[in-house]
Amino acid sequence: MAPATRAVMAALEAAGGPGCARFVGGCVRNALIGQPVADVDIATTLKPEETERAIRAAGLKAVPTGIAHGTVTAVAERRPFEITTLRRDVSTDGRNATVAFTDDWAEDAARRDFRLNALYADADGHVFDPTGEGVADCRAGRIVFVGDPETRIREDFLRILRFFRFHAWYGRDEPDPAALAACRTLAPGMTRLSAERVSSELMKLLAAPDPRAAMAAMAGAGVLAQVLREAQLSRLFEAAVAQGADPLVRLMVLLPPDEAVVRAAATRLRLANAVRDRLAFAARAVPAINLSMSDREARAALYHHGATAFSDAVRRHWAETPHRSSEARRLLSLAETWTRPPLPVGGRDLARLGVAPGPETGRLLKAFEAGWIADDFPATGHAERLQALVSPPRG
């Protein structure tokens, strides 16, 4: 009912007549089950060039984002709407499909992954369910492939990970046995996928409110080992989810606290540099941090490792010992509130004391920093401490 949405649908129907465009997929699914709708995707019988003309004729912006595959993005009130011509697959190699355009809604539905995603709704909100089971699957929390599971997976092996991701977000009870069997059988086919596609799906799965059951099913089917051979699904993961840890902490506790191993896994998955470094810095911090440390010791660790790595390491230790929640929360609170102070002296201070620039300056500054940290970052007495390092007392 949003004005931008109505404007896009009206533009399409002005060109192709009533019923030529329908909402499709996740927006229909989420509307049915009362979940937030992020993206509004639209399917249409209009050909891509007709879609583009219709959008521009209505005074809206049209971007040919995937014209070869039938997709045009309309922009209304700065919001994007992905509009795709109905399609059927001509051929596929498990990664990319060659498609032909059609005006048959059932054909378009037949090439989609899961029945609850093969749902359409017209501009007035009337729902169309070509498989006959999509609405029921939505309401029952069933993730079931459209047609034969192996056929759908062979069309795109990423659907294996999508199956577990959708089960984590929308599934209830046990995973569909036929789908699970197909995922187990065809898991080796995921080697054809790009690392970026795999890591994107994995992180979306880990972001689910409670991915524990889906991850257990994924491990049991041999899919987790195929995706991340270093991963160990253990009570650490169970505890991290129960404690509300974010997706990166959940990924962290799947991996051993070994910086070299973590960097190798992150590089293979082609995770963003910031993500790779966060995982690696946390692994480096784990041995230096324990839940029994005093506030003074914690401030020293925060200074050396930074608040993010410190907090991630604390969460890992908390997952290892869930009964120590009060100690973990104390350290996490300290990490949120303590501000790392800058080193209060520098090379100019040493120069004023007659120390020539060079290696000796670096040695003295490191010695000052070590003592300053050991004394819990005092705010005064810097000149005296520095003088003592430059001219230690005799005798």
Side-chain angles (χ1 to χ4, degrees):
M1 298 304 296
T5 308
R6 303 295 293 181
V8 172
M9 293 297 276
L12 295 171
E13 292 195 337
C20 76
R22 294 174 181 173
F23 303 111
V24 64
C27 61
V28 182
R29 176 197 66 228
N30 283 20
L32 281 170
I33 59 177
Q35 293 292 326
V37 172
D39 301 318
V40 177
D41 294 336
I42 298 169
T44 182
T45 56
L46 294 174
K47 299 300 185 287
E49 61 276 10
E50 295 172 326
T51 298
E52 196 170 354
R53 284 198 301 268
I55 295 302
R56 291 196 169 124
L60 304 175
K61 183 178 179 180
V63 183
T65 43
I67 204 79
H69 287 83
T71 301
V72 175
T73 298
V75 181
E77 296 184 14
R78 293 182 294 182
R79 180 173 184 174
F81 297 81
E82 194 170 274
I83 306 163
T84 303
T85 302
L86 302 187
R87 301 175 292 181
R88 59 181 175 82
D89 287 340
V90 175
S91 64
T92 178
D93 62 3
R95 289 176 297 178
N96 302 301
T98 301
V99 300
F101 301 133
T102 180
D103 57 4
D104 188 327
W105 295 93
E107 275 192 317
D108 188 76
R111 67 177 301 278
R112 296 185 180 272
D113 50 10
F114 310 114
R115 298 186 314 203
L116 83 173
N117 288 339
L119 291 170
Y120 306 80
D122 66 17
D124 295 322
H126 298 118
V127 174
F128 298 85
D129 185 359
T131 71
E133 299 288 346
V135 172
D137 286 352
C138 274
R139 291 174 175 160
R142 291 191 299 262
I143 314 301
V144 181
F145 280 99
V146 174
D148 176 59
E150 288 199 15
T151 299
R152 294 286 82 76
I153 290 172
R154 290 185 191 278
E155 290 168 349
D156 183 355
F157 285 96
L158 193 68
R159 286 172 172 171
I160 292 176
L161 282 176
R162 284 174 61 83
F163 171 74
F164 294 104
R165 194 244 291 185
F166 275 84
H167 187 73
W169 279 94
Y170 304 108
R172 298 197 295 273
D173 303 324
E174 294 298 315
D176 177 61
L180 202 57
C183 290
R184 182 182 294 109
T185 299
L186 298 176
M190 289 190 296
T191 56
R192 305 184 188 189
L193 301 170
S194 70
E196 292 88 348
R197 294 182 79 197
V198 169
S199 60
S200 175
E201 281 297 324
L202 179 61
M203 295 312 298
K204 289 175 184 176
L205 193 165
L206 291 173
D210 188 350
R212 288 176 289 189
M215 287 293 291
M218 188 171 160
V223 173
L224 181 59
Q226 189 75 37
V227 172
L228 190 61
R229 58 177 175 266
E230 299 89 348
Q232 292 293 323
L233 194 62
S234 67
R235 61 184 179 82
L236 267 69
F237 182 77
E238 297 271 335
V241 175
Q243 291 158 7
D246 70 36
L248 278 179
V249 172
R250 294 172 182 183
L251 177 59
M252 177 188 72
V253 299
L254 289 172
L255 299 169
D258 182 312
E259 184 177 357
V261 172
V262 167
R263 284 193 180 277
T267 299
R268 195 176 64 254
L269 283 174
R270 297 191 183 177
L271 297 174
N273 290 345
V275 173
R276 177 202 63 204
D277 289 344
R278 178 178 168 185
L279 293 171
F281 294 159
R284 185 189 302 172
V286 165
I289 291 165
N290 65 80
L291 300 186
S292 299
M293 66 195 332
S294 66
D295 284 5
R296 180 173 180 154
E297 292 169 325
R299 283 189 286 270
L302 276 163
Y303 183 87
H304 285 301
H305 296 283
T308 301
F310 177 91
S311 298
D312 287 345
V314 167
R315 286 194 174 277
R316 185 183 188 98
H317 287 305
W318 184 11
E320 292 169 341
T321 53
H323 62 283
R324 301 182 68 180
S325 61
S326 60
E327 295 162 284
R329 292 183 189 281
R330 171 181 62 85
L331 294 174
L332 291 172
S333 176
L334 180 63
E336 289 179 1
T337 56
W338 188 70
T339 301
R340 184 183 191 270
L343 190 67
V345 299
R348 289 183 179 179
D349 299 289
L350 287 170
R352 282 194 288 269
L353 295 175
V355 179
E360 182 66 4
T361 295
R363 186 192 70 79
L364 289 170
L365 288 176
K366 285 184 178 179
F368 176 91
E369 184 180 43
W372 179 62
I373 294 170
D375 288 343
D376 201 18
F377 311 98
T380 59
H382 309 317
E384 294 81 1
R385 186 187 298 271
L386 206 58
Q387 181 66 62
L389 288 170
V390 172
S391 306
R394 297 178 179 181

